[in-house]
Amino acid sequence: PLPFPKYDLVAVPSFQYNGMEHPGAVLYRASSLFLEGRPTSQEMLQRANLIAHETAHMWFGDLVTMPWFDEVWLKEVFANFIADKVVSPLFPEFDQDLLFLLAHQYPAYGTDRTGGTHPVGQELDNLRDAGTLYGPVIYHKAPVIMKMLEKKIGAETLRKGLQRYLHQFSFGNAGWRDLIALLDTTGSLKVWSDAWVYRAGRPHLHARIDNDDLVIDQTDPSGENRCWQQAVELVWPDGDSLKRQVVELEDSQIRIRDHFSGGDPEWLYLNGNGQAYAYVEMDKPAQQVFIRHLAGLDDDLLRAAVWTDLYENLMQGDLTPGGFLQAVMNNLPEEKHAVIFERILLYLEDVYVYSADQETRKVYAEQTEHLIGEEMKRRPDQRNALTRAAIRLYSSSGALSRLYQVWKYQVAMEGYTPTERQQNDLAFYFALKWPERAEEILNVQESRLTNPDERRRFQFIRQSLDPDQAARNAFFTSLLRADNREHEPWVNDALAFLNHPLREPESVRYIRPGLEVLQEIQSTGDIFFPQSWLDNLLTGHQSTEAADTVRRFLKEHPDYPETLKRKILKSADFLLKSR
């Protein structure tokens, strides 16, 4: 039963968190509850998951609390785990394993692949630094570990263990080791737990054929020769069908003798069920097959896993941005699963804007615009997501002019009328791409706004799109003062525009002062703001000058707080690896 006498939901405009649990009342960012336009199925799912997550905290975090904030991750992993259980029956049309994969691996890898990686279980000497522990590893790697635990001991055993945990420690304190002690009847769980919870990073997995033997190599990127125990599903083609085999990885190398004595397959893939947590390196033959024909694989979960790992191969430098964009061009039109379609669009935006260089963007600009336009005609249920992509990706004069007509006359585009927030975004991106018309466009859009909160947000963000560089510089300087960072979501949006790749030559000057103020941001802002500040400060940069600025700052601050240094390395990872 609910352990508290009441349960209220409070919607707060411009709230810095999506949600925040409290016994008696949960606070939410209003826009996270009240979705505009025609929400996509994934947006509806995300809202349900958010509400379930905060509700689960009534038991995990409030009824039973971790002993100290070094285990702040624990209440989050419980809340995520329970939220997935709650939401699954509400969306029976979705494959829950697929949703889990798309919800967790991608954001967790965004930290674990970088120099900013850290263990799930971190040390905390002073409560004032507790906020620095939060991030994707807590919210997304930990649920993967929890799912591994459920698979390892069985769902019913884990459910009963959690019930005992809640009863035994009600209105008290308990940690992860207390739960493991309740569950561990053989002593094997502690070894497994220590490797996954108290060590940083992820393994590097590679499957190969050696004289008809199947060999799976597991290497430790840190060079410490660690081994992460987990089960993976190997997939390979056999005529017109696929063969699958689950392999338990309990050592740094697994060799299965004469596995392919009947002949070598065209390709091998190590993550058929999407449950591996690792960098799954793809050989070139597999990459090329997936780039050309991924949509033809009649298995939703397999396709989602391949897209996740293709993106990771790009981020590790084993696939070019052009190769990834070609995969999108070839496969997006044939993708039938709505949630996978939306994820591919997000990958397209990310790679086209932030990973591809200027020459690659030129090569794919016309194809990208044509693809979005055609899909807008074919997929009425995806017009919200496609409109978002069009706003961010259209760059040719013809495509921008078509969007401008939609914005100017507030008419439908292929049967879809952009929401007020999308109208604002159109104005912002027109101002970014047509600086000579920026003031006129922004004035018109601001005059349309009747909601006072939205008007204040618009007025704040538009300063980052002033066509005058001196005005933008002055606005950035104003953000270095804490009293000008009160509305942190607004600051994030504005900082992203200031450091957009189209502004890179002018905005590299913001990096050093933006890094210098990071410790103050950590002490004055919310727990997620330091990372989002860094992401929006650094992600739009690809130049050698930008990379050198980051390296110089770190070299000149050898005693910089380790948690904040890791956040810098996480946000600057692609920049530092490419330059």
Side-chain angles (χ1 to χ4, degrees), residues 129-163:
D129 298 321
T132 65
L133 303 185
Y134 285 83
V137 169
I138 283 180
Y139 282 99
H140 298 290
K141 182 178 182 178
V144 175
I145 296 171
M146 196 73 179
K147 189 172 184 178
M148 287 183 185
L149 176 62
E150 181 182 39
K151 186 175 181 181
K152 194 173 184 68
I153 67 173
E156 186 63 14
T157 300
L158 179 57
R159 188 176 71 86
K160 290 180 177 178
L162 289 174
Q163 289 175 341

Side-chain angles (χ1 to χ4, degrees), residues 373-413:
E374 289 301 304
E375 293 306 299
M376 189 81 73
K377 298 173 185 176
R378 296 176 58 234
R379 300 180 190 255
D381 59 321
Q382 292 291 348
R383 284 173 182 157
N384 192 25
L386 286 161
T387 299
R388 180 190 62 221
I391 291 169
R392 286 160 173 75
L393 299 180
Y394 278 10
S395 58
S396 71
S397 58
L400 287 174
S401 294
R402 290 193 297 275
L403 277 180
Y404 179 75
Q405 296 303 310
V406 171
W407 170 81
K408 182 177 180 179
Y409 297 108
Q410 297 181 282
V411 296
M413 179 170 57

Side-chain angles (χ1 to χ4, degrees), residues 248-294:
E248 294 285 344
L249 303 182
E250 296 182 346
D251 207 342
S252 58
Q253 186 179 91
I254 302 295
R255 180 180 289 269
I256 303 177
R257 299 288 181 183
D258 299 321
H259 193 274
F260 293 111
S261 56
D264 295 353
E266 182 182 3
W267 51 268
L268 294 174
Y269 177 55
L270 261 180
N271 193 18
N273 60 9
Q275 294 183 19
Y277 189 90
Y279 170 54
V280 179
E281 181 184 348
M282 294 183 188
D283 286 337
K284 296 302 178 185
Q287 284 186 6
Q288 291 307 310
V289 168
F290 294 146
I291 287 172
R292 294 193 302 269
H293 306 300
L294 178 53

Side-chain angles (χ1 to χ4, degrees), residues 52-279:
H53 174 104
E54 302 303 341
T55 305
H57 273 313
M58 298 300 106
W59 289 266
F60 297 100
D62 292 342
L63 176 63
V64 177
T65 306
M66 62 278 178
W68 178 239
F69 265 86
D70 58 352
E71 287 195 284
V72 70
W73 65 274
L74 186 59
K75 70 185 183 74
E76 301 304 335
V77 70
F78 282 145
N80 268 334
F81 181 74
I82 297 299
D84 289 333
K85 299 290 187 186
V86 170
V87 169
S88 295
L90 302 180
F91 293 83
E93 69 273 24
F94 290 136
D95 181 326
Q96 298 304 320
D97 286 334
L98 183 150
L99 296 179
F100 187 92
L101 166 66
L102 294 180
H104 297 304
Q105 259 84 342
Y106 166 67
Y109 288 166
T111 295
D112 242 5
R113 82 169 83 91
T114 75
T117 184
H118 58 82
V120 172
Q122 304 173 71
E123 295 182 359
L124 179 67
D125 296 327
N126 195 308
L127 189 60
R128 71 184 178 191
D129 298 321
T132 65
L133 303 185
Y134 285 83
V137 169
I138 283 180
Y139 282 99
H140 298 290
K141 182 178 182 178
V144 175
I145 296 171
M146 196 73 179
K147 189 172 184 178
M148 287 183 185
L149 176 62
E150 181 182 39
K151 186 175 181 181
K152 194 173 184 68
I153 67 173
E156 186 63 14
T157 300
L158 179 57
R159 188 176 71 86
K160 290 180 177 178
L162 289 174
Q163 289 175 341
R164 294 199 306 274
Y165 178 87
L166 290 173
H167 283 296
Q168 183 173 336
F169 299 106
S170 288
F171 298 102
N173 302 98
W176 175 256
R177 288 187 172 95
D178 295 305
L179 176 64
I180 294 298
L182 280 175
L183 300 172
D184 197 1
T185 57
T186 65
S188 61
L189 280 184
K190 184 180 183 303
V191 175
W192 169 87
S193 171
D194 287 349
W196 281 103
V197 173
Y198 299 108
R199 306 295 293 275
R202 61 178 182 172
H204 179 153
L205 301 182
H206 180 232
R208 56 189 172 90
I209 301 172
D210 181 25
N211 293 326
D212 296 336
D213 296 348
L214 167 66
V215 179
I216 301 176
D217 296 306
Q218 180 177 180
T219 56
D220 181 354
S222 71
E224 299 177 28
N225 297 319
R226 295 173 293 168
C227 180
W228 290 262
Q229 296 177 9
Q230 63 179 312
V232 298
E233 185 178 73
L234 181 72
V235 181
W236 68 95
D238 182 31
D240 294 332
S241 62
L242 297 177
K243 284 196 170 183
R244 300 168 182 267
Q245 179 173 345
V246 175
V247 182
E248 294 285 344
L249 303 182
E250 296 182 346
D251 207 342
S252 58
Q253 186 179 91
I254 302 295
R255 180 180 289 269
I256 303 177
R257 299 288 181 183
D258 299 321
H259 193 274
F260 293 111
S261 56
D264 295 353
E266 182 182 3
W267 51 268
L268 294 174
Y269 177 55
L270 261 180
N271 193 18
N273 60 9
Q275 294 183 19
Y277 189 90
Y279 170 54

Side-chain angles (χ1 to χ4, degrees), residues 22 139 251 284 294 331 388 434 443 449 497 512 578:
H22 303 280
Y139 282 99
D251 207 342
K284 296 302 178 185
L294 178 53
N331 293 287
R388 180 190 62 221
W434 289 336
N443 285 342
L449 300 177
F497 280 123
R512 181 67 187 225
S578 60

Side-chain angles (χ1 to χ4, degrees), residues 2 33 43 78 111 115 132 154 207-208 237 239 287 289 318-319 329 339 385 414 500 540 560 578:
L2 182 71
L33 291 184
E43 288 171 331
F78 282 145
T111 295
T132 65
R208 56 189 172 90
Q287 284 186 6
V289 168
D318 291 326
L319 177 66
M329 301 301 133
V339 176
E414 301 297 343
H500 191 279
Y560 203 68
S578 60

